[in-house]
Amino acid sequence: MAGVTRRSVLAGAGLAVLAAPGQASAEVVGDYDVVVAGSGAAGMTAALTAAKRGLRTVVIEKAPTFGGSAARSGAGIWIPNNSVILAAGVPDTPQKAAAYLSAVVGATVPPARQQAFLHHGPAMLEFVMANSPLRFRWMEGYSDYYPELPGGMTNGRSIEPDMLDGNVLGAELARLTPPYIATPAGMVVFSADYKWLALAAVNARGLAVAAACLARGTAAAAAGKKPLTMGQALAGGLRAGLLAANVPVLLTTPLLDLYVENDVVKGVRTPQGILRARAVIIGSGGFEHNAAMRAQYQRQPTGWSVGAKENTGDGIKAGQRLGAAVDLMDDAWWGPAIPLPDQPYFCLAERTLPGGLMINATGRRFVNEAAPYGDVVHVMYDKASIPAWLIVDQNYRNRYLFKDVAPLLPFPQAWYDSGAVVKASTIEGLASAIGVPPATLRATVTRFNGFAVTGRDQDYRRGDSAYDHYYTDPAVFPSSSLAALWLPPYYAFKIVPGDLGTKGGMRTDARARVLRADGSVIAGLYAAGNASAAVMGHSYAGAGSTIGPAMTFGYIAARDIPDG
């Protein structure tokens, strides 16, 4: 491919002689039209778009693997009015989508950026499907996170990748970033399946979904396929598109700084040398694993992230050195997490299933446990409820999958040893073990149990929203969100403010161009994904509100670069 020098190929293979650690060589080792920093969803979508425009494109990636946080994720994608949901009969319209996004985001994000996302998102998805092996499935029933707002949809707008055969990647499959949690061996599992797998012990549909996952895995193995789903499929499919377009992805090649000529960004500095270009697109993720930046910008305590460990804000800091303004730096894609000894566990279904409640240090409830996960953490900070505790009983444990531990099976001893989980034979004993007033916790459980009988949570309205019922048990009445705690022993899970990644980054306009504080454009510099301030503002419209906009603004950025 034109523009790929011998030196850049050697660098991508890890064979180039590097400069001293943390220092960039001054030698120009590659000349392109576009350099993309980061091989996550934003970066690879941008690179694919640029390449298909005929632009000489290269991707640099700090990690020794490609895919970033996207490869680790469930890969939900929130894009209103896309062809996948319209073909499935979802009654979406541009007017509904605009009303809903505006209601969710408010005045935090300029209307032009909201409109750019809504306008270009469907076209981006069509482009990706036309230029990669990726296909997508509607996540039927996964409600928008605020379906009661104008334009909200109780059956949801989110999609996820269909199964991808990893054989399309050839040798590159070995360089795909591993998932956050591995799929059960021999099964092909989609994100939408987990809702039902959690219920497989008590629900006929859950059992049928588990059987379907196993049947898919068996069929794939018999056909000689290497099945990928969720984030593995998304990252793998985008990488396959780049392979077909002859776009190199240079691994173990971090962005050290931006290269500037006459006040215009003209490339990047890496340990291997300078890669010159007419434009640079930053898709290098957030700063979730940069303790100093988190201490500077965010409320404490923090740092329980499941984002890719290489995400230390390199792209954001490079932009700031050139005067880039930043927004939303205090925020993240939050979610309640359990600090297990190996890594934080992002707690979705477990805190929503009936028979569990969350308390603070006083032994009282403080939040609707089934609310959107970002909202729950905002309340944890606002009410100084860190750590919180998720309280469940043995009836809950007998019925539901917890993380990857099947009902009735014991939790690993390491969970108890680390203090992430506490167990006791009585409510009062559990309270004493976690340091909350026993009488208060008993009163809290008694009151909650009364709500379960009536089916109405009079304190925090758990179950009032359609979203609250997504990860619940339809066999429980009168509300699938509420069940009494009555069967000992009792368990308490420590809950801390986890995240999928940080939400703040460089300020960009509707064309994904990076802006200074005075509104002027830093020529030649674009940003997308978590390196840019989120188009969702401080909120979260639905499952995939990270990846959908990341891909869309990567697409917008690559289309905006002028022809040479």
Side-chain angles (χ1 to χ4, degrees):
M1 175 183 175
V4 181
T5 67
R6 177 177 180 275
R7 181 67 179 270
S8 67
V9 171
L10 290 174
L15 299 176
V17 177
L18 302 185
Q23 296 181 6
S25 167
E27 180 185 356
V28 175
V29 296
D31 196 358
Y32 301 91
D33 294 314
V34 184
V35 173
V36 177
S39 66
M44 288 199 285
T45 303
L48 185 61
T49 307
K52 288 299 179 177
R53 286 189 55 204
L55 302 177
R56 297 166 301 142
T57 306
V58 65
V59 178
I60 63 170
E61 169 56 54
K62 180 180 183 180
T65 55
F66 70 87
S69 292
R72 292 170 54 79
S73 74
I77 299 173
W78 194 83
I79 296 176
N81 292 295
N82 71 72
S83 64
V84 176
I85 63 172
L86 295 179
V90 177
D92 204 1
T93 68
Q95 294 74 25
K96 287 181 182 178
Y100 178 66
L101 187 61
S102 177
V104 169
V105 173
T108 307
V109 177
R113 285 195 70 217
Q114 298 180 42
Q115 293 159 9
F117 164 60
L118 295 173
H119 175 74
H120 291 284
M124 177 279 295
L125 200 72
E126 292 302 300
F127 169 84
V128 166
M129 288 192 288
N131 292 283
S132 79
L134 280 166
R135 297 297 179 266
F136 298 90
R137 305 158 54 98
W138 177 37
M139 300 173 73
E140 182 177 2
Y142 203 152
S143 167
D144 284 341
Y145 287 177
Y146 307 96
E148 292 78 23
L149 291 178
M153 308 196 77
T154 57
N155 226 14
R157 294 174 160 102
S158 302
I159 60 173
E160 64 173 310
D162 208 340
M163 190 191 82
L164 179 77
D165 182 3
N167 286 313
V168 301
L169 289 167
E172 281 297 288
L173 180 60
R175 290 180 275 277
L176 174 61
T177 297
Y180 160 54
I181 296 177
T183 300
M187 301 180 79
V188 173
V189 181
F190 299 109
S191 280
D193 294 331
Y194 278 103
K195 162 188 170 69
W196 297 106
L197 292 179
L199 305 174
V202 294
N203 182 280
R205 182 171 176 182
L207 189 61
V209 168
C213 293
L214 183 59
R216 290 188 211 117
T218 301
K225 296 180 179 179
K226 297 177 180 176
L228 302 175
T229 57
M230 296 181 280
Q232 298 287 281
L234 179 62
L238 288 172
R239 182 70 183 97
L242 294 183
L243 285 171
N246 296 314
V247 176
V249 176
L250 309 183
L251 302 176
T252 321
T253 305
L255 167 69
L256 298 183
D257 210 344
L258 294 164
Y259 173 68
V260 179
E261 295 178 357
N262 299 320
D263 294 326
V264 177
V265 174
K266 287 290 188 179
V268 299
R269 297 181 184 273
T270 75
Q272 290 88 343
I274 295 169
L275 298 175
R276 292 187 78 257
R278 293 195 290 108
V280 172
I281 302 173
I282 304 293
S284 54
F287 58 94
E288 54 265 28
H289 292 288
N290 185 319
M293 290 182 73
R294 298 203 80 147
Q296 177 182 357
Y297 292 110
Q298 299 192 321
R299 290 189 281 185
Q300 301 299 310
T302 190
W304 293 276
S305 182
V306 302
K309 62 181 173 49
E310 291 83 8
N311 290 350
T312 55
D314 301 351
I316 298 170
K317 290 185 293 183
Q320 287 180 298
R321 286 192 288 271
L322 293 185
V326 292
D327 291 319
L328 304 176
M329 297 292 279
D330 61 326
D331 216 339
W333 301 100
W334 302 115
I338 301 171
L340 297 180
D342 55 342
Q343 63 178 344
Y345 175 62
F346 200 86
C347 194
L348 287 175
E350 293 85 356
R351 66 183 166 81
T352 301
L353 287 163
L357 58 89
M358 283 175 60
I359 60 166
N360 58 21
T362 71
R364 296 179 175 87
R365 290 178 70 212
F366 62 95
V367 71
N368 169 9
E369 296 88 350
Y373 32 92
D375 291 351
V376 174
V377 173
H378 283 144
V379 174
M380 289 174 68
Y381 279 119
D382 292 344
K383 295 188 176 181
S385 299
I386 302 170
W389 295 90
L390 171 65
I391 310 297
V392 307
D393 71 345
Q394 189 59 44
N395 180 54
Y396 174 108
R397 280 298 301 128
N398 291 346
R399 296 176 66 84
Y400 308 126
L401 181 75
F402 197 104
K403 189 178 180 282
D404 54 359
V405 180
L408 299 174
L409 294 183
F411 293 125
Q413 185 60 40
W415 292 15
Y416 295 106
D417 294 343
S418 71
V421 185
V422 177
K423 178 181 177 182
S425 58
T426 65
I427 290 291
E428 290 77 8
L430 189 70
S432 296
I434 62 176
V436 305
T440 304
L441 181 57
R442 169 58 71 182
T444 296
V445 171
T446 299
R447 181 171 176 81
F448 183 82
N449 288 352
F451 297 157
V453 171
T454 63
R456 294 300 302 274
D457 175 8
Q458 296 180 28
D459 290 340
Y460 295 101
R461 301 179 61 186
R462 175 171 168 181
D464 283 10
S465 172
Y467 173 77
D468 294 357
H469 292 269
Y470 182 70
Y471 285 113
T472 55
D473 184 349
V476 174
F477 292 95
S479 171
S480 66
S481 287
L482 303 169
L485 286 71
W486 58 272
L487 182 64
Y490 300 92
Y491 303 83
F493 302 87
K494 184 180 288 187
I495 300 293
V496 295
D499 67 72
L500 302 170
T502 48
K503 184 179 275 193
M506 289 178 279
R507 184 181 302 168
T508 56
D509 64 9
R511 294 160 59 181
R513 300 179 300 177
V514 175
L515 304 177
R516 300 182 182 90
D518 63 4
S520 61
V521 172
I522 298 178
L525 185 61
Y526 297 82
N530 288 352
S532 62
V535 74
M536 293 294 159
H538 290 291
S539 197
Y540 211 131
S545 291
T546 308
I547 293 177
M551 296 175 70
T552 301
F553 280 102
Y555 172 80
I556 290 170
R559 284 170 50 87
D560 191 72
I561 297 168
D563 292 325

